[in-house]
Amino acid sequence: MSSDDEREERELDLTSPEVVTKYKSAAEIVNKALQLVISECKPKAKIVDICEKGDSFIREQTGNMYKNVKKKIERGVAFPTCVSVNNTICHFSPLASDELVLEEGDIVKIDLGCHIDGFIAVVGHTHALQSGPITGRAADVIAAANTAAEVALRLVRPGKKNKDVTEAIQKVAAAYDCKIVEGVLSHQLKQFVIDGNKVILSVSNPDTRVDDAEFEENEVYAVDIVTSTGDGKPKLLDEKNTTIYKRAVDKNYHLKMKSSRFIFSEINQKFPIMPFTARALEDKRARLGLVECVNHDLLQPYPVLHEKPGDYVAHIKFTVLLMPNGSDRITSHSLQELQPSKTIDDPEIKAWLALGTKTKKKGGGKKKKAKKSGEKAESTEAEPVDATTNGAAAQE
């Protein structure tokens, strides 16, 4: 029998059914948490209360799992619930004292994550506080994010490269006269690693370079798409709005202030690896201590970023398992009805959307029904997206 280390190493990817189960269990909780958060997004609802309900639900649901196992299994929030409104792009998860509320007509980006034994599922979704179909530029920006996500799902597959996805999603956004927001990274996920080394850039520019990478079977990715009707260049307006941080595990420094040491000790104990919100820290003097921790790179901040007032921003994020039989998107939520002002006429985008997400099994087995015309040979189990639906593709 091989050593424990070897066994651990061997079982950490999707070749282990137990790992697949943990990813899918985390995804099930994430999808339900998203559903709950959407149902709480009503006019006059306090944003902090909505975020807290999302996090509490994840803690409660994960807490009920793997209770009676001998070896303690870490589980809980992998990314705190964020509710970013209108031209706020991301990472808005305010402190308990915050009084901001939602209003009728707001466009809300919801972002959250959960892990079981370090196997992470994340989701991002855009919801408008209105009844009836979404129209005009708001519909364009959501359709752009959703169509880009559908294209990315079909291009994040073994043999394809990260730059293929970067180019494709920009082309999709342009078709809706929108921009992909710069600086958004889609990361490979590994056990206890929310920001793996293989990365898909949202926009390739001289400032941000990532290594070329090819997707491989049994990998997991968090595909993160943010679109804007503005210029797609996020701005940090106020560092004081930052509430989400992650411990930089490779950094050490002897903190000078007592409050910093106290808070850092609480972080190491409660949130040694995953991102967390300052709201979850017990010490109310946390703010001061966090500043010193950030200044000495012990914590990585997730700043609240903005587009210009009046710009619309949409966010779609999903977790995908690159299984031997094809890509399995495990987190998503259906969109409201969209009536965008633009339609997809580009043949290349239409061809991407017509690709399947499942690959044909080799060898015997029952004969499949005849292919639909125009569908690729490998996509007999696929769910091609009809480009005429304007990106409001039905998601499971």
Side-chain angles (χ1 to χ4, degrees):
M1 169 122 178
S2 62
S3 72
D4 276 357
D5 285 352
E6 279 178 9
R7 192 173 62 84
E8 288 275 293
E9 186 59 40
R10 195 177 68 238
E11 288 184 352
L12 291 190
D13 71 10
L14 300 178
T15 50
S16 157
E18 193 188 347
V19 168
V20 175
T21 300
K22 285 172 179 170
Y23 272 118
K24 290 193 170 177
S25 302
E28 197 178 330
I29 292 170
V30 154
N31 290 332
K32 284 180 182 164
L34 175 57
Q35 178 72 50
L36 170 74
V37 170
I38 291 170
S39 73
E40 295 289 338
C41 286
K42 301 184 180 95
K44 302 304 173 196
K46 267 172 79 169
I47 294 176
V48 65
D49 293 346
I50 300 170
C51 294
E52 201 44 64
K53 280 175 182 163
D55 291 351
S56 298
F57 179 84
I58 291 172
R59 284 194 293 267
E60 196 180 290
Q61 295 291 309
T62 52
N64 292 334
M65 303 183 77
Y66 295 99
K67 272 183 180 165
N68 305 319
V69 291
K70 283 180 189 158
K71 185 184 163 199
K72 189 189 172 209
I73 286 188
E74 296 287 337
R75 57 212 191 278
V77 174
F79 200 85
T81 305
C82 299
V83 174
S84 306
V85 182
N86 297 334
N87 64 311
T88 305
I89 295 171
C90 56
H91 303 152
F92 192 78
S93 189
L95 298 174
S97 55
D98 194 279
E99 295 294 330
L100 269 177
V101 297
L102 295 178
E103 301 291 354
E104 180 71 32
D106 279 349
I107 293 183
V108 176
K109 278 83 61 195
I110 301 161
D111 188 4
L112 49 88
C114 160
H115 80 97
I116 292 166
D117 197 17
F119 297 105
I120 300 163
V122 288
V123 74
H125 181 73
T126 302
H127 177 76
L129 268 68
Q130 66 172 71
S131 52
I134 302 168
T135 58
R137 293 299 281 149
D140 288 347
V141 80
I142 298 171
N146 187 57
T147 308
E150 291 291 342
V151 166
L153 174 62
R154 285 151 177 78
L155 296 181
V156 177
R157 56 167 68 200
K160 291 280 186 192
K161 293 192 165 58
N162 53 357
K163 61 172 187 279
D164 300 338
V165 182
T166 304
E167 287 163 11
I169 61 174
Q170 285 180 80
K171 188 166 192 178
V172 171
Y176 288 98
D177 197 16
C178 293
K179 291 267 193 344
I180 295 283
V181 172
E182 290 179 14
V184 178
L185 301 176
S186 298
H187 286 276
Q188 184 183 3
L189 300 173
K190 290 184 171 181
Q191 189 182 26
F192 291 111
V193 180
I194 201 165
D195 47 6
N197 291 336
K198 278 192 177 181
V199 172
I200 305 163
L201 266 181
S202 55
V203 178
S204 43
N205 62 24
D207 304 336
T208 341
R209 291 196 183 283
V210 296
D211 293 339
D212 285 349
E214 191 173 298
F215 307 115
E216 293 172 50
E217 204 171 276
N218 296 317
E219 290 180 337
V220 182
Y221 285 88
V223 177
D224 204 348
I225 311 275
V226 185
T227 49
S228 169
T229 57
D231 62 8
K233 295 181 191 303
K235 307 271 184 303
L236 171 60
L237 298 184
D238 188 353
E239 281 178 13
K240 290 194 189 74
N241 288 337
T242 304
T243 59
I244 297 176
Y245 302 90
K246 184 171 80 77
R247 169 80 172 94
V249 283
D250 54 341
K251 297 281 193 296
N252 285 298
Y253 173 79
H254 184 68
L255 293 158
K256 304 287 185 284
M257 284 160 49
K258 190 178 175 185
S259 61
S260 307
R261 292 199 295 274
F262 188 84
I263 207 73
F264 193 57
S265 149
E266 188 188 344
I267 291 165
N268 277 333
Q269 211 177 334
K270 288 166 71 175
F271 310 107
I273 295 168
M274 297 291 176
F276 63 92
T277 162
R279 203 173 52 243
L281 297 170
E282 280 165 22
D283 186 9
K284 295 299 164 252
R285 298 162 303 167
R287 215 80 202 125
L288 210 55
L290 287 170
V291 171
E292 193 186 3
C293 293
V294 170
N295 287 345
H296 293 286
D297 299 328
L298 294 177
L299 295 178
Q300 172 194 329
Y302 287 80
V304 178
L305 299 172
H306 296 81
E307 265 284 22
K308 294 185 187 75
D311 289 339
Y312 292 111
V313 180
H315 185 192
I316 303 272
K317 175 158 62 173
F318 62 88
T319 306
V320 60
L321 312 181
L322 304 191
M323 303 295 287
N325 65 340
S327 302
D328 190 357
R329 175 181 181 163
I330 57 172
T331 60
S332 65
H333 192 282
S334 53
L335 290 164
Q336 292 152 290
E337 188 192 336
L338 302 176
Q339 292 179 355
S341 64
K342 310 274 186 272
T343 51
I344 293 277
D345 300 315
D346 187 290
E348 191 175 20
I349 297 175
K350 285 183 169 177
W352 286 327
L353 291 170
L355 291 170
T357 57
K358 299 286 182 225
T359 45
K360 197 172 177 183
K361 305 234 181 7
K362 295 185 178 80
K366 288 182 187 165
K367 244 185 161 177
K368 296 283 190 307
K369 287 179 188 164
K371 293 196 293 289
K372 291 177 194 165
S373 63
E375 215 176 294
K376 298 284 180 285
E378 62 168 14
S379 60
T380 44
E381 299 174 25
E383 292 287 327
V385 175
D386 180 357
T388 56
T389 59
N390 283 317
Q395 298 160 12
E396 282 174 20

